[in-house]
Amino acid sequence: MADAVPLPAGRTQETGVPLAAPSILAEAEISVSIRGITKSFGSTRALDAANLDIRRGEFFSLLGPSGCGKTTLLRIIGGFETPTSGDLLIAGRSALGDLPYRRRTNMVFQHGALFPHLTVAQNIAFGLEMKRVPRPEIARKVEEALALVRLSGYGDRKIDQLSGGQRQRIAMARALVNDPEVLLLDEPLGALDLQLRLQMQEELRRLHRAIGGTFIFVTHDQGEAITMSDRIAVMNAGRIQQVGTPREVYERPANRFVAEFMGHSNFYDGTVAGRKADGTGAVAVNGQAFPTRLPPDAMLGAKVFVALRYEKVDVVPEGRPGEGGAALDGTVEEESYMGSFVRRRVNLGPMGTIVSDAANTGRQETMRPGDRVRVRWGLDSATVLPA
């Protein structure tokens, strides 16, 4: 896998928030370059002037809700859709005139799309046979591909003799055997149950490390994208909202949509009630103020939007001191045991309800409805954005 290369700051299409710029990287570092691609289906615009550079050798995820344009963009890269306008470069050259089988890309679909009447080996060999690769080389490449996905010895099996996870691995082997510049993965884990999906996440990352190619992965699952990706592009309504590492996108969302889409957060509309030279200040929600870090352009009296992750909120018995950040008193409305964590819902009076998720260490104090508590979070815990 290629080493991470810092990207210069650019701007999102929609909000003017800093975003990775697609045109500054050295050409040799770029595997796929999407340049102003728009795609319309009749009066519906599925993609709106998308710009994106994907580095050679990275695991890159296109993340967003259904209908956001992520699969359309993947299909354009693979050659299964033609953009209305814009250009697509793969390995430094425009690929728009190339048919899918002439591009150095291969796609793995959600349900594998394997041929049920062929054996495992015949499925993997299919693309090589279409290219008229010599039979001895085909046999060697099929065995290498089976070993890569840890299914050596499965070549003679029928597809209906395989589990769901094994079928997806065979689909990946069929794609990888053609030595693509880019492997395109269209929600390949979406049809699997939770445990198998977690196993396949690990398997995909292992494959990526083993071959060092460029993987472009489409998903609507935020946890999946965060777990697997080197970088993520969050999409909505045909537009790229933010590009960054999983940590950047989760910890520093560029706009309200990203903040709401990524993970679980408390959301408040407020007003800047104080500002200091060091960038800290206060935000008031319905007259109830708390200290926080402020963005550089948030002036006194400005309307702002506050996002505060559940896991960054600490609930302790009333009377305990704050720790340099917010410390507000409230009343427990509900405590729920969620297995790996405990969720608490607390009423903060004028500010409304706040939710906290605390890791289950087995040592938590049980809190009951009506208990008076103190709710705390750090100065840098909340994300404050223009309203």
Side-chain angles (χ1 to χ4, degrees):
M1 188 171 64
D3 293 335
V5 180
L7 290 177
R11 297 283 163 183
T12 63
Q13 300 163 337
E14 189 167 277
T15 64
V17 179
L19 169 68
S23 59
I24 312 295
L25 286 172
E27 187 173 291
E29 298 171 347
I30 302 171
S31 184
V32 176
S33 185
I34 295 151
R35 299 186 176 178
I37 284 184
T38 293
K39 176 64 178 179
S40 297
F41 296 97
S43 61
T44 301
R45 182 164 289 190
L47 284 172
D48 190 0
N51 288 287
L52 182 66
D53 276 345
I54 298 172
R55 293 196 292 259
R56 192 178 305 278
E58 75 176 332
F59 196 117
F60 193 96
S61 288
L62 301 173
L63 172 67
S66 297
C68 72
K70 57 188 185 296
T71 295
T72 298
L73 183 54
L74 193 77
R75 290 176 62 82
I76 287 172
I77 297 170
F80 302 103
E81 297 283 357
T82 301
T84 305
S85 61
D87 199 5
L88 166 72
L89 277 66
I90 298 177
R93 60 176 292 274
S94 180
L96 289 187
D98 297 340
L99 294 171
Y101 70 91
R102 294 195 178 278
R103 301 187 184 195
R104 288 200 61 192
T105 62
N106 271 103
M107 185 175 285
V108 178
F109 298 93
Q110 182 173 359
H111 297 285
L114 299 172
F115 300 116
H117 62 288
L118 301 180
T119 66
V120 164
Q122 289 168 338
N123 265 280
I124 297 172
F126 184 81
L128 299 174
E129 290 174 349
M130 293 297 100
K131 295 177 181 178
R132 301 188 182 280
V133 175
R135 288 193 174 276
E137 187 176 350
I138 289 177
R140 176 180 61 80
K141 284 180 172 290
V142 167
E143 288 304 313
E144 289 174 352
L146 283 170
L148 186 63
V149 297
R150 298 198 281 204
L151 288 175
S152 295
Y154 279 67
D156 293 332
R157 296 200 186 187
K158 295 290 187 180
I159 298 303
D160 61 7
Q161 295 176 310
L162 303 178
S163 68
Q166 289 169 339
R167 292 182 191 189
Q168 283 303 82
R169 284 200 253 170
I170 295 303
M172 290 173 200
R174 184 177 64 180
L176 292 169
V177 78
N178 291 295
D179 189 28
E181 166 78 17
V182 184
L183 184 65
L184 308 174
L185 300 136
D186 187 10
E187 303 210 46
L189 313 183
L192 306 179
D193 63 58
L194 178 60
Q195 286 302 113
L196 186 53
R197 193 159 71 242
L198 294 174
Q199 293 172 17
M200 288 302 296
Q201 288 175 15
E202 295 178 4
E203 188 69 15
L204 265 176
R205 287 296 288 170
R206 183 192 67 80
L207 280 172
H208 182 248
R209 289 191 297 269
I211 67 175
T214 304
F215 282 25
I216 304 179
F217 183 81
V218 161
T219 182
H220 63 272
D221 187 311
Q222 302 95 324
E224 200 165 75
I226 288 172
T227 299
M228 301 173 67
S229 309
D230 296 318
R231 286 192 303 147
I232 299 169
V234 183
M235 299 182 65
N236 185 45
R239 293 187 172 195
I240 296 172
Q241 303 292 314
Q242 184 174 0
V243 178
T245 66
R247 183 180 294 275
E248 288 167 348
V249 172
Y250 188 84
E251 299 285 350
R252 297 190 297 279
N255 57 38
R256 184 166 186 152
F257 173 80
V258 178
E260 291 179 340
F261 186 74
M262 298 296 294
H264 299 288
S265 294
N266 300 280
F267 300 112
Y268 304 101
D269 292 307
T271 304
V272 176
R275 184 173 186 92
K276 298 179 182 178
D278 63 359
T280 63
V283 168
V285 176
N286 293 331
Q288 191 162 359
F290 56 87
T292 188
R293 181 80 55 187
L294 294 171
D297 55 352
M299 298 295 103
L300 191 65
K303 301 294 185 184
V304 291
F305 168 73
V306 180
L308 182 60
R309 301 284 183 201
Y310 287 5
E311 70 273 12
K312 295 190 176 183
V313 179
D314 186 26
V315 179
V316 296
E318 189 178 37
R320 291 195 185 173
E323 297 179 342
L328 303 177
D329 292 329
T331 304
V332 174
E333 292 182 346
E334 183 181 23
E335 178 177 280
S336 302
Y337 175 78
M338 310 292 284
S340 61
F341 63 93
V342 175
R343 176 166 293 170
R344 297 185 177 107
R345 190 176 301 274
V346 178
N347 189 306
L348 291 177
M351 188 167 161
T353 300
I354 193 166
V355 179
S356 165
D357 283 348
N360 182 7
T361 63
R363 299 189 298 273
Q364 284 92 350
E365 301 176 60
T366 299
M367 296 180 180
R368 295 175 175 80
D371 284 356
R372 293 291 296 171
V373 292
R374 175 152 289 180
V375 179
R376 309 182 300 191
W377 62 89
L379 269 177
D380 296 298
S381 295
T383 297
V384 181
L385 298 167

